[in-house]
Amino acid sequence: MSDEEDDESHKFRRNTDKADTMKILLESGCIPDAAMIHAARKCRQKARELGADYIPIEEQSDDKGKSRLIREEDHDRSDDDDSQDRIDMTVNTEARDKEKRREAFLASQVPIKLSDDESEHENEEEEWEAQQIRKGVTGAQIAAVQQDSMMQQQFTLGMNVNQIIGSGVPLEMVMMPAPPPPPTIQPPDPTKIVPVTPQEVVNKIRARLDSLKEVHRRHQLDQDRLEQELGQTMKELDDGEIRAPQLAQRFRYYQELRGYVTDLVECLDEKLPLVVGLEQRWLDLYSERATELMERRRQDTRDQAEEITTAARGQPIRRGPEVEARIRRATEREGRRARRRRARELAPTLPKHIDGMSSDDEVTEQQNLAFKQTKDEIDNESKEIFFDVMDEYCTLRGILSKLESWRETDRDAYMEAYVSLCIPKIISPIIRLQLLTWNPIMESADIERTKWYNTLLLYALDNKETEESLKRDPDIRLVPSTVEKIVLPRLTSIVEKIWDPMSTSQTLRLVGTVNRLIRDYPNLNDTSKQLETLFNAILEKIKAAVENDVFIPIFPKQVLDTKHQFFQRQFSMAVKLLRNLLSWQGLLGDTQLKNLALGSLLNRYLLAGLRVSVPTDALFKANMVMSTLPRAWLQGETIEHLRMFATLIQQLSEQLDQANPAHNEAWEYSKSILKIIKPL
């Protein structure tokens, strides 16, 4: 071979690097794809163009033997005329079909990566073929052919899956499901087409026209609505621009009002514990006085009962600390009674006095001085609670003036904020401080005459208001609500701590105060929880008085004659308590009042005292009891609790001697009593 031929052969070998690459890939067991096959063909074509005597598609060099192994089926024979080699014309159809199926499978899985020019050229050829096919074949025929092709391909792939796996194709690619067939388009059957008449076409056109008109009508309505909304929005915008200064001023006002209310609440929260502390000190002061007087009265009763018992037994009096204390208490007791007796003698206009009807509430001058000093200290401290606060935060007029200004400025917002319901709670510390020394059971002090009450009455006063306007006034219940939420709890505390049911003056003042409140304020009815709490406190105090303050000694008549004064006093005290209890008739429930006054006090204590008395004295005492009973209970049939009393009066009247002039008054008492109540 010449040097030129060597150079050309070397040049050819240098240009066949791609063939070497394909050789390496084939030796590694990789299945060539369409791109690789195309590249191999281009290499062969290029080798022919260079004019070489042979085309070394596959070449293997061995350093030792320098031999070359060439497979017969992998070489293409040269077309030169000078070649004397025999060309094998046999065709291996099985291998060719297998190779075609493998190329089709790989082509469907791996996209062919060609150059831009080649891919564009192939796309044009495919598009031209598709156009030619569409011209000669209908869509239904194409769909049927595609469906048959897909079924045939799936069948072929199923038959040769083992061969493909053995050739090195991954199992995931083999087992990948086939894509779904395209939808079948069936051409219309000319025999089943229903002819359309012109009238039907006209009807469809009219129906379409009607639907379009309806759509147009809805659009027109939407347009009108949007135009109205636009006009309303523009109007609101203009109104907003006009009202902007007014709203800004209103905003500033509410900001100031909010600041005032915040400061007011903080101030009252700080001062309220001081007010509560003063209230408790005032109640404790009067409670100690009331408890002291009550214990002294009960101790006097025990001392007198023990004196009578000792005298009846005839036992000598032994000197000792207890005896000395009892003698000292007896001396003080008799001294107080003597002073009350002299005071009654100096006032001859008073009715005839009965021992036991007066209250022993006298205290020493030293006790009275200490009491007055403590009371003055509480009064002075109450005046200094708000000394560091401005009037608009600590006076009723200052607080209500702010709220009244709000009511006049914006009444709707005033009502929506429920200010009328909040006012009693806001002004509660101020009114409680002014009610600190209010004691309706010690002195007649009507709340209607107080300064704070008149201030509440004048709140939001309008000279042009009428009865109809008052019905719509949100503050029409301001005064009743204040009385219910502030005055009644204060009165309940006074009843629990200070009231003595044995005192007639205290009871009558308390009954008058409660009766006036219920009469003047319609919200104080059976639905008021504060009023119910007050009545429960009154009933508890009455029960305690019946159990602890009533003692009627029952002794033989010979002993009773010697100590008649103690018996009369204790009986009169029981009658006084009965009268005080019955003064609540009409306020407390009749059932509970009858059980306490008649069932417990009359039948348990008073009837026992009447039985040990002489008939004339017993009938005189029975007339006292009868005068205390309410007339409402004595009308109609005799109540069950008075049956025992009527029977006793009948028995005492039978013991009288009508011929004795001294029994005439007692006889008249018995007839008047039996005329009203009848025994069984």
Side-chain angles (χ1 to χ4, degrees):
M1 184 179 293
S2 64
D3 295 336
E4 294 179 358
E5 292 177 353
D6 293 337
D7 293 337
E8 291 179 357
S9 63
H10 289 299
K11 184 178 179 181
F12 174 74
R13 290 188 181 92
R14 285 193 301 268
N15 292 334
T16 56
D17 292 337
K18 293 184 180 180
D20 296 337
T21 303
M22 288 185 291
K23 175 182 177 182
I24 295 172
L25 292 175
L26 291 172
E27 289 177 353
S28 64
C30 179
I31 299 175
D33 55 0
M36 187 179 296
I37 296 171
H38 182 74
R41 288 177 179 174
K42 288 182 69 67
C43 289
R44 291 173 59 188
Q45 182 66 28
K46 188 175 182 180
R48 291 191 186 97
E49 292 174 357
L50 291 176
D53 295 336
Y54 61 92
I55 302 174
I57 295 299
E58 181 176 356
E59 179 176 299
Q60 182 176 0
S61 62
D62 191 2
D63 295 337
K64 293 180 180 181
K66 295 183 179 180
S67 61
R68 183 185 307 169
L69 298 177
I70 301 174
R71 290 189 302 176
E72 183 177 354
E73 63 272 13
D74 294 334
H75 287 281
D76 293 333
R77 299 301 182 182
S78 176
D79 297 331
D80 296 340
D81 298 332
D82 297 336
S83 178
Q84 298 297 327
D85 297 334
R86 185 185 297 269
I87 299 175
D88 188 6
M89 301 299 292
T90 61
V91 178
N92 191 350
T93 57
E94 182 179 357
R96 187 179 58 185
D97 294 341
K98 178 180 179 180
E99 185 67 23
K100 288 182 178 181
R101 288 194 298 271
R102 180 182 302 173
E103 289 177 2
F105 177 79
L106 295 177
S108 64
Q109 299 297 328
V110 181
I112 301 174
K113 298 181 180 179
L114 302 176
S115 62
D116 296 337
D117 296 334
E118 292 173 351
S119 60
E120 184 176 359
H121 179 70
E122 290 179 0
N123 291 336
E124 292 178 356
E125 292 180 354
E126 292 177 358
E127 185 178 358
W128 181 81
E129 292 177 357
Q131 291 177 358
Q132 296 300 321
I133 292 172
R134 281 197 297 270
K135 291 179 180 179
V137 184
T138 61
Q141 293 175 348
I142 293 174
V145 171
Q146 289 180 353
Q147 186 174 2
D148 294 340
S149 176
M150 291 299 296
M151 293 177 65
Q152 182 66 27
Q153 183 178 1
Q154 291 177 4
F155 175 77
T156 305
L157 290 176
M159 293 295 293
N160 298 283
V161 66
N162 294 329
Q163 298 177 3
I164 296 174
I165 294 175
S167 63
V169 180
L171 181 61
E172 291 80 1
M173 298 176 63
V174 177
M175 299 304 295
M176 183 178 295
T184 303
I185 302 175
Q186 297 293 338
D189 189 359
T191 60
K192 296 182 179 180
I193 296 177
V194 180
V196 180
T197 61
Q199 185 62 32
E200 292 179 354
V201 175
V202 172
N203 293 337
K204 290 183 179 180
I205 294 175
R206 288 178 179 176
R208 178 61 177 169
L209 180 62
D210 294 339
S211 64
L212 292 177
K213 288 182 178 180
E214 180 64 23
V215 172
H216 175 70
R217 187 184 65 82
R218 289 198 299 267
H219 291 172
Q220 190 68 32
L221 293 177
D222 294 340
Q223 181 183 0
D224 296 341
R225 178 177 56 80
L226 293 176
E227 289 177 354
Q228 293 178 0
E229 292 180 357
L230 179 61
Q232 184 67 23
T233 304
M234 297 299 295
K235 182 178 179 182
E236 292 178 358
L237 181 61
D238 296 339
D239 294 342
E241 293 177 354
I242 296 174
R243 295 175 57 193
Q246 181 182 357
L247 295 177
Q249 182 179 1
R250 182 180 179 184
F251 176 75
R252 290 192 298 270
Y253 172 76
Y254 277 108
Q255 287 293 101
E256 295 176 358
L257 182 62
R258 179 179 179 272
Y260 170 77
V261 172
T262 303
D263 296 340
L264 176 63
V265 171
E266 292 178 355
C267 175
L268 296 180
D269 287 341
E270 183 179 353
K271 301 298 182 179
L272 182 59
L274 302 178
V275 176
V276 175
L278 290 179
E279 283 182 344
Q280 190 62 39
R281 287 178 57 189
W282 188 90
L283 289 173
D284 293 341
L285 178 64
Y286 277 85
S287 178
E288 291 176 1
R289 170 67 65 86
T291 303
E292 182 181 355
L293 296 176
M294 189 182 303
E295 290 297 329
R296 188 180 68 182
R297 181 178 66 243
R298 294 173 182 175
Q299 185 62 42
D300 290 341
T301 301
R302 288 192 293 268
D303 292 343
Q304 293 180 80
E306 188 173 354
E307 291 175 2
I308 294 176
T309 303
T310 303
R313 294 176 181 176
Q315 297 177 355
I317 300 176
R318 298 179 180 180
R319 309 295 294 182
E322 296 181 359
V323 176
E324 293 294 337
R326 189 173 62 191
I327 293 174
R328 178 177 54 81
R329 291 194 297 268
T331 303
E332 295 175 355
R333 180 181 68 244
E334 294 301 329
R336 294 192 298 270
R337 290 177 181 176
R339 286 188 289 272
R340 291 198 302 272
R341 191 180 303 111
R342 286 195 297 270
R344 288 192 298 269
E345 291 174 355
L346 295 176
T349 57
L350 295 176
K352 183 180 179 181
H353 177 70
I354 301 175
D355 289 340
M357 290 294 182
S358 61
S359 299
D360 186 6
D361 54 359
E362 182 181 347
V363 295
T364 62
E365 188 66 23
Q366 184 179 1
Q367 292 175 339
N368 194 19
L369 182 62
F371 179 84
K372 187 176 182 302
Q373 183 178 359
T374 306
K375 182 181 178 182
D376 292 341
E377 291 177 357
I378 295 175
D379 293 341
N380 294 332
E381 291 181 10
S382 66
K383 296 176 182 178
E384 295 178 357
I385 288 182
F386 290 101
F387 77 97
D388 58 344
V389 182
M390 299 175 62
D391 291 343
E392 59 180 350
Y393 294 98
C394 65
T395 61
L396 204 60
R397 171 52 60 187
I399 296 174
L400 292 180
S401 62
K402 288 286 185 179
L403 300 178
E404 187 175 4
S405 175
W406 183 9
R407 171 190 165 111
E408 294 175 356
T409 303
D410 192 352
R411 186 166 182 173
D412 294 336
Y414 178 87
M415 296 176 63
E416 291 176 357
Y418 298 99
V419 180
S420 303
L421 300 178
C422 300
I423 289 179
K425 188 173 182 179
I426 295 175
I427 64 178
S428 175
I430 311 298
I431 297 179
R432 290 173 66 175
L433 187 62
Q434 296 186 15
L435 288 175
L436 183 62
T437 59
W438 181 61
N439 192 354
I441 66 175
M442 296 294 182
E443 56 187 7
S444 298
D446 297 338
I447 60 174
E448 289 81 3
R449 298 180 181 178
T450 57
K451 187 176 180 180
W452 63 266
Y453 187 87
N454 294 326
T455 304
L456 289 179
L457 285 179
L458 297 177
Y459 175 71
L461 178 63
D462 187 6
N463 296 328
K464 299 180 181 180
E465 63 185 9
T466 60
E467 185 177 356
E468 295 296 329
S469 63
L470 285 176
K471 292 180 180 179
R472 299 187 299 270
D473 191 353
D475 298 304
I476 190 65
R477 298 173 62 88
L478 176 59
V479 175
S481 298
T482 304
V483 171
E484 180 182 7
K485 296 179 180 179
I486 301 176
V487 177
L488 280 189
R490 176 66 176 175
L491 187 59
T492 302
S493 301
I494 293 175
V495 169
E496 293 174 348
K497 299 288 186 178
I498 305 174
W499 178 51
D500 183 9
M502 294 295 297
S503 174
T504 302
S505 59
Q506 293 184 14
T507 302
L508 292 180
R509 291 192 187 100
L510 181 61
V511 170
T513 301
V514 175
N515 191 17
R516 185 167 55 255
L517 292 176
I518 294 176
R519 183 189 64 233
D520 295 342
Y521 303 101
N523 59 327
L524 301 182
N525 48 34
D526 53 355
T527 61
S528 176
K529 294 183 179 180
Q530 286 78 8
L531 185 62
E532 182 181 358
T533 304
L534 174 62
F535 283 158
N536 291 333
I538 293 172
L539 287 173
E540 292 297 327
K541 294 286 287 190
I542 291 175
K543 291 178 182 178
V546 172
E547 294 294 334
N548 302 318
D549 291 320
V550 178
F551 174 73
I552 299 177
I554 306 300
F555 299 110
K557 292 185 178 182
Q558 61 273 17
V559 178
L560 188 60
D561 292 338
T562 58
K563 300 294 181 181
H564 187 65
Q565 185 177 3
F566 176 64
F567 174 79
Q568 293 290 354
R569 181 179 297 277
Q570 292 302 119
F571 190 89
S572 298
M573 289 177 62
V575 173
K576 182 177 70 171
L577 180 60
L578 177 65
R579 183 177 60 191
N580 294 342
L581 264 63
L582 294 177
S583 63
W584 291 101
Q585 196 274 329
L587 295 176
L588 298 177
D590 285 347
T591 302
Q592 294 179 333
L593 199 59
K594 288 178 182 179
N595 292 333
L596 288 173
L598 303 181
S600 298
L601 186 55
L602 176 61
N603 294 336
R604 186 188 303 177
Y605 297 104
L606 295 178
L607 291 186
L610 293 178
R611 290 190 180 95
V612 298
S613 301
V614 296
T616 54
D617 187 45
L619 288 173
F620 175 75
K621 292 181 174 62
N623 187 55
M624 291 173 53
V625 173
M626 194 66 186
S627 63
T628 61
L629 297 179
R631 295 301 175 187
W633 291 0
L634 302 177
Q635 297 176 358
E637 297 182 357
T638 302
I639 59 180
E640 186 64 27
H641 293 90
L642 294 176
R643 296 293 184 182
M644 295 176 60
F645 179 67
T647 302
L648 180 60
I649 299 300
Q650 180 68 31
Q651 293 174 359
L652 292 174
S653 64
E654 293 175 356
Q655 298 177 10
L656 295 177
D657 186 4
Q658 298 182 4
N660 189 352
H663 294 180
N664 290 338
E665 185 177 4
W667 178 256
E668 294 295 332
Y669 289 153
S670 64
K671 288 195 301 182
S672 62
I673 293 173
L674 293 176
K675 185 177 179 180
I676 298 174
I677 57 175
K678 299 178 177 57
L680 292 175

